[in-house]
Amino acid sequence: MIPVIDGHNDALLRAWRSGESLRERGDDGHLDVPRMREGGIAAGFFAIYVPEDDYASDPRANVVATDDGWEVPFDDPVPIERASPVAHELAAIADRDLMLVRTIADLEHCVAGDEPGAILHLEGAEPIEPGLDNLDGWIERGLRSLGIVWSRPNAFACGVPFQYPGAPDMGPGLTDAGRDLVRACNERGVMLDLAHLNERGFFDVASLSEAPLVVSHAAAHALAPMPRNLTDAELDAVGDSGGLVGVVFDTVMTRSDGELVFDTALDVIAGHIEYIAERIGLDHVALGSDFDGCFPPAALDDASKMQALLGVLGWDDDELAKLAHGNWLRVLRATWRD
Ligand code: ZN
């Protein structure tokens, strides 16, 4: 098995809602520690994501038909009074069930085949005070990656909605607090994640940040025209910065027709990997499953099946090693401060 560093999962949210332990192989769900071992996932970015409500609603219930496709309206903004306590509950699950990766050395141990590790990631900066007073507390707690927005506006920037077809050129760029957040994360060696960000926010970060640009879970807009996916200009900026894109496993986000089809062939996801590798180089493409947060195809519908995707690419072992973990290691070495 080729060890994988996976760019994004929502297993903490699932465990928060269900009360299950991620140390046990659950009856359902995409990702837990036993499934990580079975699929060769050495480490993953575990999202702390605060939903609008406490209930596991099916996101498909919110889909609205449009003239030429569909859209999901924005959630209401989440105030910090809700975001902060829920985020701490999610982080407590990570402390309880997972080995936290805090340093490059920790990550190298994971890739060498020790205990699977969890990189603590904030998906949407709602739990961070706009004056950044509690950012250092979160870093102390283990936070190593921060997504400025989820698909909704917050104090720092504006995310893109789920929509088909559509493009990310909507909404304003970073706020003043957002610019401060980018500088503060650069100074402290916290990885910034541009997934879910709109186009103006993306290029604001690109011009401001000193770190390689990272989009943890997305796909190529040229193949699947959705605001969540990256335009060629955005891909080029990621490549120029020495960063990477983690390709998402969602069928809806990777299919050209924007449909949810569970028997979608793995070639569809592989097509995004190949497109990005051809456009900006195979040093700049990685994996970002979004397990427990998306609708992967049946052939890849839990973490134990991770290696199946590598098998359809027809790449040699050195190329697969870059895709699976080498590119993440390079980018995090250039970003984190141990
Ligand atoms: Zn996401």
Side-chain angles (χ1 to χ4, degrees):
M1 285 200 290
I2 298 175
V4 171
I5 297 174
D6 181 33
H8 192 86
N9 75 67
D10 281 310
L12 294 176
L13 180 67
R14 178 173 57 78
W16 180 74
R17 282 172 164 156
S18 70
E20 288 172 45
S21 166
L22 295 174
R23 300 211 73 80
E24 324 257 305
R25 198 176 205 285
D27 292 334
D28 53 12
H30 295 158
L31 185 140
D32 45 46
V33 172
R35 283 182 168 89
M36 287 175 80
R37 289 185 192 281
E38 288 166 35
I41 301 180
F45 286 76
F46 281 70
I48 294 172
Y49 160 72
V50 180
E52 194 183 5
D53 60 48
D54 296 355
Y55 307 104
S57 58
D58 187 334
R60 287 170 289 184
N62 299 326
V63 175
V64 177
T66 59
D67 287 348
D68 55 352
W70 53 263
E71 66 180 359
V72 180
F74 270 138
D75 280 359
D76 288 336
V78 173
I80 192 162
E81 295 74 26
R82 169 179 169 79
S84 185
V86 172
H88 280 292
E89 288 174 25
L90 288 156
I93 294 170
D95 286 336
R96 184 194 70 193
D97 292 349
L98 299 156
M99 191 200 76
L100 288 194
V101 171
R102 291 172 177 272
T103 64
I104 292 295
D106 291 345
L107 191 55
E108 288 169 344
H109 284 303
C110 294
V111 172
D114 296 346
E115 170 92 5
I119 301 164
L120 214 50
H121 165 74
L122 199 52
E123 185 174 28
E126 283 86 349
I128 303 295
E129 290 161 21
L132 311 184
D133 298 343
N134 64 345
L135 178 61
D136 287 327
W138 272 103
I139 296 169
E140 188 77 12
R141 184 149 197 187
L143 189 75
R144 292 293 177 272
S145 170
L146 185 147
I148 303 170
V149 289
W150 186 68
S151 284
R152 61 193 175 205
N154 65 21
F156 304 98
C158 189
V160 287
F162 297 93
Q163 186 187 78
Y164 179 91
D169 60 337
M170 57 175 83
L174 295 180
T175 64
D176 289 344
R179 291 174 186 280
D180 289 345
L181 181 62
V182 169
R183 289 187 200 99
C185 287
N186 278 175
E187 281 165 16
R188 291 158 174 79
V190 174
M191 191 195 93
L192 287 160
D193 178 7
L194 280 58
H196 291 271
L197 196 55
N198 66 2
E199 192 174 47
R200 275 191 206 161
F202 179 101
F203 284 107
D204 283 350
V205 177
S207 63
L208 193 61
S209 179
E210 292 160 2
L213 300 178
V214 171
V215 185
S216 68
H217 59 304
H221 192 272
L223 303 183
M226 263 164 277
R228 272 281 285 112
N229 289 336
L230 299 169
T231 63
D232 286 346
E234 290 178 321
L235 290 175
D236 294 347
V238 170
D240 290 345
S241 77
L244 65 76
V245 177
V247 171
V248 72
F249 297 176
D250 192 24
T251 59
V252 179
M253 277 176 66
T254 51
R255 288 174 60 93
S256 61
D257 61 5
E259 297 288 327
L260 170 54
V261 181
F262 286 114
D263 64 1
T264 295
L266 292 185
D267 287 343
V268 171
I269 297 164
H272 286 266
I273 295 171
E274 279 160 355
Y275 180 88
I276 295 169
E278 272 165 35
R279 180 151 189 111
I280 60 175
L282 63 81
D283 288 340
H284 305 293
V285 63
L287 304 175
S289 69
D290 204 7
F291 280 134
D292 285 315
C294 81
F295 302 104
L300 197 56
D301 68 358
D302 81 41
S304 71
K305 301 178 183 175
M306 179 59 101
Q307 301 285 320
L309 179 61
L310 304 179
V312 303
L313 278 164
W315 292 11
D316 69 31
D317 282 354
D318 287 347
E319 292 168 334
L320 288 175
K322 285 185 174 186
L323 173 78
H325 59 264
N327 293 337
W328 274 119
L329 278 169
R330 184 196 76 244
V331 165
L332 292 172
R333 282 185 188 121
T335 304
W336 287 356
R337 311 230 194 294
D338 281 357

